[in-house]
Amino acid sequence: MEIEIHVIHYLVISTVMMFCGIYGFFTRKNLLALLISVELMLNAVNVNFAVFNRYLFPDRLEGHFFSLFGIAVAAAETAVAIAIIINVYRNVKQVLTDDITDLKG
Amino acid sequence: MDYTILILALPALSFLLLALAGMKMSHRVAGIVGTLSLAAVTVLSYATACSYFTAGRMEDGLYPTLVPWNFEWLPFTPSLHIDMGILLDPISVLMLVVVSTVSLMVHIYSFGYMKGEKGFQRYYAFLSLFTFAMLGLVVATNIFQMYVFWELVGVSSYLLIGFYYTKPEAIAASKKAFIVTRFADLGFLIGILIYGYYMQTFTFTPSEERLMQAGMVLPWALGLMFVGGAGKSAMFPLHIWLPDAMEGPTPVSALIHAATMVVAGVYLVARMFPLYVDFAPHVLHAVAWVGAFTALYAASVACVQSDIKRVLAFSTISQIGFMMVALGVCTDADPHGGGLGYMAGMFHLFTHAMFKALLFLGAGCIIHAVHSNEMEMMGGLRRYMPVTHITFLVACLAIAGIPPFSGFFSKDEILTACFGFSPAMGWIMTAIAGMTAFYMFRLYYGIFWGKENRELHARHTPHESPLAMTFPLVFLALVTVGAGFIPFGRFVSANGHAYDIHLDWGVAGTSIVVALAAIALATWMYARDRQPVADMLAARFSRLHRAAYRRFYMDEAWLFVTKRVIFRCVSVPVAWFDRHVIDQFMNFLAWGTNAAGESLQPVQNGRIQAYTWWFLSGIIVLTAVLLLF
């Protein structure tokens, strides 16, 4: 039996990814886990861009470009975030969010 | 006449140079810089006066009013703008000559008098500043420029009175002078604002149409301006600062508090004279009565003071009263019909500046020699200081009104003008002129005759002053002898037409007789080693004597008004309101902000996920709001 893949299927997947990311961001305490959650959310968005472009405006490419941009930005952001996390760990010997409160105003 | 700008620029530049670089210079260099710039100013002023008066009159018989230099400084409306510039007319040219002459003499004199003083360079810087301000005042093209420079002379007077800033009396005197004159200047400023609002101009010649519309407003404006003039010119009851101002160095007293700055009020009235005489004659006559009362009051106080500079200070107040009277008794702009006083007042301003500067500079020589201001420490100085003695005598004769010295001619014109106004005024002023002769000769005999202070002379024999100090004395004495013969009315008169001074021998004879009688009385009472008559009178009228010595308790009255009435009844409640209502309200605002901050502060706890919860709930609320509405 052959299932035709429709736009809704993609959207369900991206929604699940989005909320997994949100849930992870709210519940996990480890900074690395938070970073992974953020990546999940970003990728959910990228999927949406690609899907909407593919199904709604097949003759244009802006959505794909945006996905590529998102991926590039996410990569850069990850590099910066990991650098920050490493430095935080060196200074505080800790990567749990509840214990890193010294920089509040 | 383009070079007239230098008359203002040179003292200003020399002030800047001495103020910025003075401490790097030696005393000598600083003094020479100040004096040379002033000498140049004097030469330029004389050149201006010469070319102005020799250029001749216009077809209508008046000297032209020249504005060689003017720029618009603050425009408000097309007609209402504040300018800065130079205006030349007979009285401003006259004042240029007076101010620069006396100032130059004081600059030269100070070489000797201030020799070796700490702050010599500062002293010359302030003298330059004062000269700049005073010259700017006299050549003002409009009333607001006059006001600006008016305040500037107030500041430089404050700085110079407080020159010995480690001496508490000098500090108190400088503050008193500044506050009292500032208080009076409030009236001046209000007057200027009213004038500017209703006349739509700050110049001295508003349009006819505006003048006609103004009605009762113009007398008020002019009266308020006179309040400022009364403060600067030490008219009763705003005179209290001038005697205390004698705490400054004596040459400063000669320049500022005798010859130039204190006559600024007279100059102001003279400047506004056409408006006074045509639109506010009652105000003008009030000026006369204020001047007459001041002259009487100051003359009676001067009769009993023992500090020689105080005697001269009260004599200055009295003489300025004479000038005010002279201006005030004018009833018309025509010198042949009631406008004589204008010419007489300006003439007296001129002669008085010379002989009063001479008196103060002479007093400076005496103080320099005796190291005291008190008359008791002096006596018999005529043998030790011949030049000072002769020049002082010349000045005393001039102020007493003995011909042929200059004071006689100007005072005689004033008395003639007073008799023309009302016989009562004439007799009052004649009596005051007699008192003037009396107290000046009391001073003269007290200093140069009478018993020598042998105790002091044994320690330190008084000696004649150096040439730098005697030269100005001799110069001013020569001016005093000659100035009376200047045909002054040809240059300055109320309506600008030439007026030939002719002595009214009835008036002149009376005043000479009164003056000679007063001098004879003073000679009889004071020209001896002991003064039984004076002591007897002082003992008989001890209460009057003490009251006059304490200046009729005017300072106490002012202190009562300020401390007891104003401070206690106005300032204390206002301070209470400020402290308990306004401050408390502000404190409450601060406290409320602080408390709100304190209670919100825990929200910002540094935990990143707490922030995201707030963020999420915010989004949910916003979404709900957007969906619902």
Side-chain angles (χ1 to χ4, degrees):
Chain A
M1 168 186 164
E2 191 174 304
I3 301 171
E4 198 182 339
I5 300 178
H6 225 298
V7 66
I8 191 73
H9 300 102
Y10 292 102
L11 291 185
V12 166
I13 286 182
S14 81
T15 312
V16 169
M17 278 166 76
M18 184 76 195
F19 277 93
C20 284
I22 291 174
Y23 177 76
F25 195 84
F26 275 78
T27 53
R28 300 300 296 267
K29 300 293 175 197
N30 193 310
L31 285 177
L32 287 166
L34 294 192
L35 184 62
I36 292 166
S37 308
V38 171
E39 289 303 316
L40 268 178
M41 290 190 265
L42 274 166
N43 282 318
V45 174
N46 287 339
V47 167
N48 270 14
F49 272 126
V51 169
F52 282 122
N53 190 209
R54 171 77 178 73
Y55 283 92
L56 295 184
F57 306 102
D59 53 339
R60 294 160 80 174
L61 289 171
E62 281 92 342
H64 298 307
F65 286 146
F66 254 100
S67 303
L68 287 174
F69 268 117
I71 290 163
V73 169
E77 176 240 298
T78 310
V80 174
I82 285 177
I84 291 173
I85 291 167
I86 289 170
N87 272 305
V88 167
Y89 181 73
R90 280 189 186 156
N91 283 302
V92 200
K93 304 283 174 217
Q94 189 60 275
V95 287
L96 299 181
T97 53
D98 286 358
D99 297 320
I100 309 170
T101 57
D102 288 347
L103 288 181
K104 71 175 177 192
Chain B
M1 290 277 184
D2 285 337
Y3 56 80
T4 46
I5 185 68
L6 285 175
I7 295 177
L8 285 188
L10 282 174
L13 289 176
S14 112
F15 163 66
L16 285 178
L17 180 66
L18 290 174
L20 295 174
M23 294 316 279
K24 302 249 188 307
M25 299 177 187
S26 68
H27 287 192
R28 210 181 155 73
V29 174
I32 287 174
V33 167
T35 311
L36 278 185
S37 78
L38 227 286
V41 168
T42 312
V43 170
L44 287 172
S45 301
Y46 285 13
T48 311
C50 268
S51 58
Y52 182 80
F53 285 121
T54 52
R57 294 165 179 276
M58 295 185 302
E59 281 163 15
D60 55 1
L62 305 177
Y63 281 110
T65 300
L66 303 176
V67 182
W69 199 79
N70 195 33
F71 84 96
E72 197 174 298
W73 182 41
L74 298 174
F76 296 120
T77 66
S79 65
L80 191 67
H81 43 83
I82 299 175
D83 292 359
M84 285 284 158
I86 293 177
L87 176 135
L88 297 179
D89 70 350
I91 54 171
S92 71
V93 172
L94 162 75
M95 290 298 286
L96 280 183
V97 171
V98 170
V99 173
S100 58
T101 308
V102 177
S103 186
L104 178 63
M105 289 304 128
V106 166
H107 273 75
I108 296 172
Y109 181 89
S110 301
F111 257 103
Y113 189 83
M114 300 297 284
K115 192 173 181 188
E117 290 274 357
K118 190 166 166 286
F120 189 84
Q121 299 96 330
R122 182 165 54 94
Y123 173 80
Y124 268 92
F126 289 163
L127 278 189
S128 292
L129 174 65
F130 170 77
T131 312
F132 163 64
M134 192 67 208
L135 292 169
L137 191 161
V138 299
V139 298
T141 54
N142 58 75
I143 190 82
F144 214 97
Q145 183 189 353
M146 203 169 172
Y147 180 71
V148 170
F149 283 98
W150 184 276
E151 294 302 336
L152 210 49
V153 290
V155 171
S156 42
S157 153
Y158 164 81
L159 292 170
L160 282 166
I161 297 169
F163 179 74
Y164 299 116
Y165 58 84
T166 50
K167 211 167 119 190
E169 297 88 6
I171 299 167
S174 62
K175 278 196 281 194
K176 186 171 176 183
F178 194 67
I179 292 169
V180 172
T181 51
R182 263 315 281 140
F183 171 70
D185 291 346
L186 182 66
F188 190 13
L189 181 61
I190 296 172
I192 291 174
L193 294 180
I194 295 175
Y195 180 84
Y197 183 78
Y198 283 94
M199 297 297 141
Q200 282 300 308
T201 177
F202 285 121
T203 56
F204 302 118
T205 46
S207 66
E208 286 287 321
E209 181 194 0
R210 290 278 171 191
L211 283 172
M212 290 303 146
Q213 285 170 4
M216 272 310 290
V217 174
L218 192 57
W220 275 102
L222 291 171
L224 284 164
M225 283 183 198
F226 173 68
V227 173
K232 209 54 121 201
S233 288
M235 289 291 106
F236 185 91
L238 294 166
H239 66 280
I240 50 163
W241 65 273
L242 187 59
D244 288 23
M246 296 301 136
E247 290 295 341
T250 310
V252 168
S253 309
L255 174 61
I256 301 184
H257 306 117
T260 56
M261 187 187 85
V262 288
V263 297
V266 180
Y267 181 72
L268 174 69
V269 176
R271 182 48 89 199
M272 305 308 282
F273 183 79
L275 298 179
Y276 273 109
V277 77
D278 283 342
F279 298 95
H282 298 295
V283 178
L284 198 58
H285 301 329
V287 169
W289 288 110
V290 169
F293 182 75
T294 307
L296 176 63
Y297 163 82
S300 49
V301 175
C303 287
V304 295
Q305 294 295 309
S306 61
D307 179 329
I308 59 171
K309 282 183 79 180
R310 294 275 147 102
V311 176
L312 292 177
F314 278 103
S315 138
T316 305
I317 297 174
S318 178
Q319 296 300 308
I320 298 167
F322 267 87
M323 299 174 210
M324 287 290 188
V325 168
L327 291 173
V329 295
C330 288
T331 50
D332 193 90
D334 181 11
H336 296 284
L340 176 63
Y342 179 87
M343 190 282 290
M346 296 315 283
F347 194 16
H348 199 57
L349 190 160
F350 173 69
T351 58
H352 171 258
M354 300 301 162
F355 61 66
K356 188 50 70 65
L358 173 55
L359 284 170
F360 266 104
L361 295 182
C365 286
I366 294 154
I367 293 166
H368 199 66
V370 182
H371 301 292
S372 168
N373 286 10
E374 290 298 317
M375 229 191 286
E376 285 170 21
M377 304 290 285
M378 301 165 189
L381 288 176
R382 68 186 184 284
R383 284 191 215 96
Y384 302 96
M385 309 177 76
V387 179
T388 312
H389 170 229
I390 297 298
T391 50
F392 203 88
L393 177 61
V394 167
C396 284
L397 288 170
I399 195 172
I402 303 297
F405 299 100
S406 61
F408 164 72
F409 295 93
S410 53
K411 193 172 279 183
D412 179 65
E413 292 303 311
I414 292 180
L415 293 178
T416 311
C418 290
F419 276 109
F421 176 66
S422 82
M425 184 66 105
W427 287 113
I428 291 170
M429 297 319 285
T430 308
I432 300 171
M435 286 168 79
T436 309
F438 175 75
Y439 68 69
M440 285 316 295
F441 274 84
R442 168 176 174 270
L443 179 70
Y444 165 74
Y445 288 125
I447 294 171
F448 292 105
W449 296 70
K451 196 164 67 177
E452 283 188 29
N453 188 340
R454 298 212 175 276
E455 204 180 325
L456 182 77
H457 294 186
R459 265 186 290 135
H460 170 93
T461 315
H463 54 86
E464 187 54 270
S465 307
L467 182 66
M469 290 165 75
T470 48
F471 167 71
L473 295 183
V474 174
F475 180 86
L476 288 170
L478 291 178
V479 174
T480 302
V481 172
F485 298 101
I486 295 173
F488 198 82
R490 300 238 183 100
F491 304 124
V492 175
S493 70
N495 60 359
H497 289 282
Y499 173 77
D500 280 317
I501 296 176
H502 38 76
L503 291 176
D504 177 345
W505 282 107
V507 176
T510 318
S511 79
I512 293 171
V513 168
V514 169
L516 285 175
I519 292 172
L521 182 63
T523 312
W524 179 60
M525 279 172 71
Y526 294 107
R528 294 185 268 184
D529 284 2
R530 291 171 178 285
Q531 293 150 3
V533 185
D535 293 341
M536 192 266 286
L537 282 175
R540 173 74 62 83
F541 302 103
S542 69
R543 186 172 282 201
L544 180 66
H545 181 266
R546 200 166 55 227
Y549 186 73
R550 301 291 304 273
R551 314 166 199 175
F552 295 107
Y553 306 108
M554 277 315 294
D555 286 84
E556 284 79 1
W558 271 103
L559 281 180
F560 177 80
V561 169
T562 51
K563 286 210 164 138
R564 291 286 164 81
V565 179
I566 296 178
F567 287 2
R568 187 168 292 175
C569 301
V570 180
S571 304
V572 169
V574 167
W576 185 90
F577 184 81
D578 181 53
R579 212 165 288 142
H580 290 91
V581 179
I582 296 178
D583 282 8
Q584 286 303 327
F585 177 68
M586 290 300 161
N587 287 346
F588 170 76
L589 284 185
W591 176 84
T593 314
N594 203 14
E598 287 284 344
S599 58
L600 285 174
Q601 193 265 339
V603 171
Q604 195 182 24
N605 55 11
R607 292 192 185 147
I608 196 153
Q609 277 151 331
Y611 299 168
T612 51
W613 278 113
W614 282 105
F615 181 69
L616 184 69
S617 39
I619 286 180
I620 291 168
V621 169
L622 281 179
T623 317
V625 168
L626 285 175
L627 287 178
L628 286 174
F629 301 103

